[in-house]
C-alpha cells in the first residue's frame, strides 16, 4: 500500500505514544518523538518504508504549526510584560546562541555546527512550559505571564532563524546572501500587509456567506498552504509564508474561527512531523555518546537557566520570578526540531549534530516538570535565609490596623471584596505579590502590602494578630497551605476563608485544618441554575430547596467537622432567607393592570419589589403607583415563604 500503510503505522503508533506520554504526565510530542524512534529505520520491526514521502508530509505539518502560531499571535498578551519580552528575549537568544557556540567550541565542533547548535538551543518549549504552569497552578501568576511573553517572542524568532541559519552554509556569499534574503522577506511582508490584508478578509467573508463549514475549512487551509507555496516559489521558506498568512488572518473578523477549525488538521499533520523527527534519531548514537549528551544537557540547562534568571533580575523582576524563570525555561523547545529539520534538509548540519540536539531537547523537556517543581521549596529556603527583607506598605491607615479583614490576593475576587468593604467602611488590607495588581488596587486607594502572604514578616505587616478575618482568594493550593500555617502561628483563633478550585482542593484544604471553603465555580453553577429555574417558572421555594440541597452535599463534610464551618453554614442559610428572584408575569395573571399599592404586596406577602424589566428596559425601585404589565419580569426580594406567597398571588386562576 506504500504511503497509505506508512501513514497508518504512524497514526496508530502516535496514538500509543501519546497515551503513554499522557499516562506519564508528559507532553504528547515527547510520546510522538519516542514512537518515531521505534518506527524509524534504525530499530527494525514494524518500520516506515518510505521516509522521504513522510518527510514531505511533515513539511505540511511544519507549515500548519506556524500558520496556527500566526493565528494565535496577539500583541495584547505582550503588553503587561512588553519590555522584557521585546527587549529581553532577543538578548536572551543572543546569549544562548553564544552559549551554544561556546559548547561547540569546547567540544571541537566546526564553526558552522557550533553556531547552528547555538541557534537550536536558544528556543524554549512553549508546550512543555504551558503544561507545567497549568499543572502547578501558576498560569496566571506574574512569573507565568513573563514566561508566556518571552515564549511568544521566541516562537516568532523561529521565522527569521529559518531564513538566516541556512545562509551559514554558504560562507562565500556572506552578508550578500543574508541581505538578499532580508530584501525578499521584506518585499513579501509588504505585499501581504498592503494586498493580503485587503484581499484575504474579503475572500473569507465571501466563503462565510455560503454557510458551509467544509468550504470555510478548505479556504483557510488553502490560504495557509497557498501563501506558503508562494513564498517557496519566491525563494523563501514555505513555513514562513504560512506564518505570515496566519498573522494576516488573525487581524480579521474570522481569525478565531479559522484557528478553531485549523487546530485538528494542524494536530494530525503535526503528529507526522514529530514522528518524522524521531525517525531520524539513531538509538545507537545515544548509547555511544551518552557521556557527551549528559555534559551538553548539563551545560545547556545551567547556562540557559542562569541567563533567564539574571535577565529577569536586570529587568526589574524580583521575589520568586528570577528563580521561576531559571528553573522553568532552561529546556530546548519544540520549534528547535523545526530548525533542525531545516538544517538536515539544507545539509547545513550533520546527522550526529541533529541526533545530539534532539537528545538534548528530549532530556531537558523531561526534566522540566521536576526541576520547575523545586521553585517553591528553594524560594522558601531563600526567604528563611533573608527574613529581614523589607516589606512595602501602601495606603495603610495612620491609626493602624485592628479588627480588620486581611485579603490575601488582589485579583478580581480580592478587588471586588475590597470595593464592598470600602463602601461599608470596614477596615481591611490586601496582600499581593504581583506588582501590576498592587498598582491597580493602589489607584483605588485600597490599603495594600506588596509581599508574599506565606512570609511571616509580611503577615506581621498586615497585623494578622489583630485581624478578625482572613480571606485567601488565590486558587493556588501551594500558596494557601503555607499561608494558613503561618497565619495560625501568628493568630491561632482567627477565622480563615479559603478558595478552592475543585473537590480535591477542598479536601486538601480540609486536611490542612481549613474548614471555611468557597468553591467559585460551584457557586456560579448554582446561580446559573437558580436563574434558569426562575425563567422556567419553578416555584422559588423549590429552587431554594434544590440549591440548598446541592450546597449541603458539597460542603457538608466540612461543616459537620468544624464549629467555624457550622457558623458559616448558619450565616449562609440566614442570607438565603432573604432571596432575590426574577418572576415573569403571564398574560392572564390577576395582578396585570393593578398597582403595587393597590395589591398591598408588602402587607399580604412581605416581599419587596426592587425592579421591573419591561421590553428590555430596567426600572429600578418602581413607585407604589406602578401598574404591572403582561410579559414583564418582576425583581422581588424576601424569604422563601414570602416569595412562595407572591408566586401564589400572581398565578392565574385555575
Amino acid at each position: 500500500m506504500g504511503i497509505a500503510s506508512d501513514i497508518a503505522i504512524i497514526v496508530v503508533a502516535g496514538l500509543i505514544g501519546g497515551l503513554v506520554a499522557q499516562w506519564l504526565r508528559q507532553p504528547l510530542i515527547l510520546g510522538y518523538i519516542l514512537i518515531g524512534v521505534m518506527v524509524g529505520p534504525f530499530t527494525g520491526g514494524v518500520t516506515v518504508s518510505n521516509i522521504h514521502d513522510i518527510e514531505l508530509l511533515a513539511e505540511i505539518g511544519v507549515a500548519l504549526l506556524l500558520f496556527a502560531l500566526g493565528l494565535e499571535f496577539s500583541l495584547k498578551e505582550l503588553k503587561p510584560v512588553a519590555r522584557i519580552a521585546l527587549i529581553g528575549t532577543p538578548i536572551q537568544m543572543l546569549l544562548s546562541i553564544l552559549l551554544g557556540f561556546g559548547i561547540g567550541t569546547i567540544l571541537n565542533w566546526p564553526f558552522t555546527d557550533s553556531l547552528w547548535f547555538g541557534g537550536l538551543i536558544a528556543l524554549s518549549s512553549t508546550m512543555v512550559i504551558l503544561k507545567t504552569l497549568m499543572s502547578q497552578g501558576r498560569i496566571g501568576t506574574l512569573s507565568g505571564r513573563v514566561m508566556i511573553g518571552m515564549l511568544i517572542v521566541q516562537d516568532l524568532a523561529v521565522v527569521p532563524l529559518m531564513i538566516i541559519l541556512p545562509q551559514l552554509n554558504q560562507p562565500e556569499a556572506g552578508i550578500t546572501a543574508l541581505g538578499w534574503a532580508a530584501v525578499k522577506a521584506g518585499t513579501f511582508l509588504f505585499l501581504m500587509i498592503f494586498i493580503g490584508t485587503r484581499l484575504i478578509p474579503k475572500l473569507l467573508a465571501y466563503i462565510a456567506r455560503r454557510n458551509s463549514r467544509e468550504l470555510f475549512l478548505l479556504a483557510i487551509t488553502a490560504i495557509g498552504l497557498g501563501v506558503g507555496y508562494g513564498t517557496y516559489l519566491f525563494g523563501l521558506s514555505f513555513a514562513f509564508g504560512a506564518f505570515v498568512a496566519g498573522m494576516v488572518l488573525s487581524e480579521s473578523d474570522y481569525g478565531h474561527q479559522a484557528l478553531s477549525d485549523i487546530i485538528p488538521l494542524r494536530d494530525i499533520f503535526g503528529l507526522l512531523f514529530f514522528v518524522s523527527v524521531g525517525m531520524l534519531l539513531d538509538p545507537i548514537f545515544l548509547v555511544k555518546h551518552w557521556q557527551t549528551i549528559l555534559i551538553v544537557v548539563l551545560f545547556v540547562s545551567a547556562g540557559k537557566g542562569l541567563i533567564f534568571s539574571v535577565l529577569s533580575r536586570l529587568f526589574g523582576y524580583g521575589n520568586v520570578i528570577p528563580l521561576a524563570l531559571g528553573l522553568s525555561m532552561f529546556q530546548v523547545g519544540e520549534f528547535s526540531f523545526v530548525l533542525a529539520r531545516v538544517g538536515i534538509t539544507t545539509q547545513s548540519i550533520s546527522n550526529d549534530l541533529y541526533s545530539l540536539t534532539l537528545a538534548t531537547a528530549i532530556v531537558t523537556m523531561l526534566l522540566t516538570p521536576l526541576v520547575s517543581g523545586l521553585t517553591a521549596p528553594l524560594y522558601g529556603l531563600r526567604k528563611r535565609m533573608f527574613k529581614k527583607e523589607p516589606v512595602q506598605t501602601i495606603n495603610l491607615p495612620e491609626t493602624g490596623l485592628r479588627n480588620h479583614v486581611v485579603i490575601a490576593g488582589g485579583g478580581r475576587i480580592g478587588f471586588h471584596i475590597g470595593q464592598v468593604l470600602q463602601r461599608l467602611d470596614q477596615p481591611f488590607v490586601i496582600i499581593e505579590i504581583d506588582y501590576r495588581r498592587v498598582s491597580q488596587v493602589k489607584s483605588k486607594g485600597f490599603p495594600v502590602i506588596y509581599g508574599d502572604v506565606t512570609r511571616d514578616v509580611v503577615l506581621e505587616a498586615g497585623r494578622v494578630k489583630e485581624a478578625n478575618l482572613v480571606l485567601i482568594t488565590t486558587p493556588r493550593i501551594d500558596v494557601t497551605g503555607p499561608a494558613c500555617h503561618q497565619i495560625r502561628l501568628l493568630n491561632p483563633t482567627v477565622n480563615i476563608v479559603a478558595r478552592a478550585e475543585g473537590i480535591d482542593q477542598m479536601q486538601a484544604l480540609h486536611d490542612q485544618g481549613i474548614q471555611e471553603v468557597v468553591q467559585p465555580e460551584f457557586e456560579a453553577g448554582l446561580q446559573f441554575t437558580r436563574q434558569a429555574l426562575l425563567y422556567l417558572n419553578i416555584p422559588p421555594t423549590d429552587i431554594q430547596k434544590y440549591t440548598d440541597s446541592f450546597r449541603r452535599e458539597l460542603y457538608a463534610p466540612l461543616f459537620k467537622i468544624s464549629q467555624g464551618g457550622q457558623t458559616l453554614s448558619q450565616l449562609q442559610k440566614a442570607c438565603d432567607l432573604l432571596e432575590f428572584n426574577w418572576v415573569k408575569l403571564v398574560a392572564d395573571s390577576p395582578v396585570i393592570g393593578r398597582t403595587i399599592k393597590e395589591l398591598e404586596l408588602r402587607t399580604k406577602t412581605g416581599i419587596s419589589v426592587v425592579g421591573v424589566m419591561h421590553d428590555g428596559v430596567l426600572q429600578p425601585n418602581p413607585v407604589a403607583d406602578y401598574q404591572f404589565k403582561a410579559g414583564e419580569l418582576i425583581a422581588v426580594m424576601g424569604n422563601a415563604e414570602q416569595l412562595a406567597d407572591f408566586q401564589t398571588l400572581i398565578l392565574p386562576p385555575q
Side-chain angles (χ1 to χ4, degrees):
M1 293 179 62
I3 191 171
S5 61
D6 289 342
I7 292 175
I9 291 172
I10 289 174
V11 171
V12 174
L15 173 62
I16 297 171
L19 290 173
V20 172
Q22 193 175 54
W23 180 64
L24 296 173
R25 298 184 177 180
Q26 297 296 325
L28 294 180
I29 60 170
L30 291 181
Y32 299 157
I33 293 171
L34 293 176
I35 211 70
V37 175
M38 297 180 65
V39 300
F42 304 105
T43 55
V46 180
T47 59
V48 173
S49 59
N50 196 332
I51 295 178
H52 179 67
D53 288 346
I54 299 300
E55 289 177 343
L56 293 177
L57 291 175
E59 293 297 321
I60 299 176
V62 175
L64 291 176
L65 280 171
L66 289 176
F67 181 51
L69 176 64
L71 285 169
E72 292 176 300
F73 176 69
S74 174
L75 286 173
K76 294 180 181 178
E77 297 184 24
L78 291 178
K79 285 183 179 178
V81 292
R83 189 165 168 265
I84 189 172
L86 298 177
I87 301 175
T89 305
I91 297 173
Q92 170 266 314
M93 293 189 66
L94 179 61
L95 292 174
S96 297
I97 290 173
L98 292 175
L99 170 67
F101 182 80
I103 294 172
T105 304
I106 293 173
L107 296 176
N108 296 318
W109 295 348
F111 176 86
T112 303
D113 285 4
S114 299
L115 207 55
W116 260 93
F117 184 70
L120 293 172
I121 70 167
L123 305 171
S124 301
S125 174
T126 303
M127 295 182 183
V128 172
I129 291 174
L130 285 178
K131 179 185 180 299
T132 302
L133 290 175
M134 286 187 287
S135 64
Q136 296 176 352
R138 293 163 51 198
I139 200 71
T141 61
L142 181 57
S143 62
R145 288 195 297 273
V146 171
M147 292 183 205
I148 291 171
M150 298 186 76
L151 287 169
I152 290 173
V153 177
Q154 281 189 359
D155 290 347
L156 295 177
V158 172
V159 178
L161 286 175
M162 292 176 68
I163 297 174
I164 295 171
L165 286 177
Q167 304 301 326
L168 299 175
N169 202 36
Q170 305 172 4
E172 69 280 356
I175 298 176
T176 303
L178 294 176
W180 180 234
V183 169
K184 290 192 290 185
T187 304
F188 174 74
L189 285 172
F190 177 83
L191 293 173
M192 287 297 297
I193 292 172
F194 288 95
I195 299 176
T197 53
R198 291 165 174 80
L199 292 180
I200 291 177
K202 290 182 179 179
L203 173 62
L204 283 181
Y206 175 79
I207 299 294
R209 287 195 293 269
R210 307 279 76 79
N211 291 321
S212 172
R213 189 158 184 175
E214 184 177 349
L215 280 177
F216 187 82
L217 174 60
L218 185 61
I220 60 176
T221 306
I223 291 170
L225 298 182
V227 173
Y229 184 64
T231 57
Y232 173 75
L233 296 177
F234 201 60
L236 295 170
S237 166
F238 185 81
F240 172 65
F243 172 77
V244 175
M247 286 189 62
V248 171
L249 272 177
S250 70
E251 298 299 322
S252 72
D253 296 334
Y254 306 97
H256 294 293
Q257 185 60 44
L259 178 61
S260 175
D261 287 352
I262 204 68
I263 282 176
L265 195 63
R266 177 204 66 181
D267 291 343
I268 291 296
F269 278 93
L271 163 67
L272 295 177
F273 167 71
F274 288 115
V275 171
S276 69
V277 166
M279 288 192 301
L280 294 180
L281 180 62
D282 187 357
I284 297 176
F285 174 86
L286 303 181
V287 176
K288 287 183 177 180
H289 301 87
W290 67 270
Q291 292 177 318
T292 303
I293 293 171
L294 288 180
I295 292 172
V296 171
V297 166
L298 178 62
F299 275 103
V300 169
S301 302
K304 287 187 67 177
L306 183 62
I307 290 170
F308 278 107
S309 295
V310 173
L311 269 179
S312 60
R313 175 64 71 176
L314 292 176
F315 275 83
Y317 293 96
N319 295 308
V320 73
I321 295 174
L323 185 63
L325 263 65
L327 296 179
S328 299
M329 299 191 70
F330 64 88
Q331 76 289 125
V332 180
E334 57 274 356
F335 277 110
S336 298
F337 304 146
V338 176
L339 286 177
R341 285 298 304 269
V342 172
I344 286 289
T345 304
T346 58
Q347 297 181 345
S348 300
I349 62 175
S350 64
N351 287 329
D352 285 353
L353 180 58
Y354 176 90
S355 298
L356 179 63
T357 303
L358 192 58
T360 303
I362 293 173
V363 174
T364 53
M365 284 181 175
L366 289 170
L367 288 173
T368 298
L370 300 174
V371 176
S372 181
L374 299 174
T375 302
L378 289 177
Y379 184 59
L381 178 63
R382 174 185 174 274
K383 289 189 296 182
R384 288 193 294 272
M385 293 174 65
F386 300 96
K387 287 186 176 181
K388 297 186 182 294
E389 187 174 337
V391 177
Q392 185 177 356
T393 59
I394 304 167
N395 296 333
L396 263 63
E398 295 181 0
T399 57
L401 294 166
R402 192 171 183 85
N403 298 325
H404 59 292
V405 179
V406 176
I407 305 172
R412 288 188 299 269
I413 295 176
F415 184 82
H416 294 319
I417 296 172
Q419 285 182 310
V420 174
L421 294 178
Q422 187 182 57
R423 293 176 184 177
L424 296 173
D425 291 326
Q426 293 292 320
F428 71 96
V429 64
I430 295 176
I431 299 176
E432 176 58 57
I433 190 66
D434 185 340
Y435 203 82
R436 181 179 61 87
R437 292 176 176 173
V438 171
S439 300
Q440 289 175 346
V441 298
K442 175 186 174 182
S443 65
K444 293 294 183 179
F446 294 171
V448 58
I449 296 173
Y450 176 51
D452 187 347
V453 72
T454 64
R455 294 180 58 195
D456 54 355
V457 65
V458 173
L459 294 172
E460 288 172 358
R463 310 296 293 178
V464 169
K465 291 181 180 179
E466 287 78 30
N468 274 339
L469 177 66
V470 178
L471 305 176
I472 304 178
T473 65
T474 177
R476 294 178 54 192
I477 190 70
D478 61 321
V479 173
T480 303
C484 287
H485 176 71
Q486 290 294 336
I487 293 167
R488 291 296 188 202
L489 291 176
L490 295 172
N491 190 344
T493 61
V494 70
N495 293 311
I496 302 175
V497 180
R499 173 182 173 182
E501 289 297 284
I503 303 297
D504 293 340
Q505 278 200 19
M506 290 182 65
Q507 186 59 49
L509 292 172
H510 167 255
D511 294 340
Q512 295 178 18
I514 305 170
Q515 312 302 341
E516 295 82 3
V517 180
V518 177
Q519 214 276 313
E521 287 76 13
F522 178 78
E523 296 295 338
L526 285 182
Q527 188 61 27
F528 269 108
T529 302
R530 182 182 289 110
Q531 296 300 324
L533 295 178
L534 284 171
Y535 277 100
L536 295 173
N537 293 320
I538 304 298
T541 52
D542 292 344
I543 296 174
Q544 194 64 46
K545 180 178 66 176
Y546 295 146
T547 54
D548 281 348
S549 175
F550 286 126
R551 181 178 282 110
R552 282 194 298 271
E553 287 179 10
L554 180 68
Y555 293 116
L558 305 181
F559 288 156
K560 67 184 181 183
I561 296 176
S562 165
Q563 181 61 44
Q566 290 174 0
T567 302
L568 182 61
S569 178
Q570 292 168 2
L571 290 172
Q572 286 178 325
K573 289 178 180 178
C575 291
D576 290 339
L577 292 176
L578 194 63
E579 191 67 32
F580 174 85
N581 285 331
W582 288 95
V583 181
K584 188 175 183 179
L585 295 182
V586 297
D588 52 350
S589 172
V591 304
I592 301 298
R594 302 178 70 182
T595 67
I596 297 175
K597 182 179 180 181
E598 182 184 353
L599 292 167
E600 298 179 330
L601 294 178
R602 180 71 63 85
T603 303
K604 293 182 178 179
T605 65
I607 63 97
S608 298
V609 179
V610 296
V612 178
M613 181 77 73
H614 183 73
D615 292 335
V617 179
L618 175 64
Q619 180 178 337
N621 300 317
V623 296
D625 294 332
Y626 181 84
Q627 288 186 333
F628 292 119
K629 305 174 184 63
E632 61 188 9
L633 292 171
I634 311 299
V636 293
M637 183 173 286
N639 60 37
E641 184 179 352
Q642 293 166 345
L643 293 172
D645 291 341
F646 178 73
Q647 191 77 18
T648 302
L649 179 66
I650 66 173
L651 288 176
Q654 300 294 329

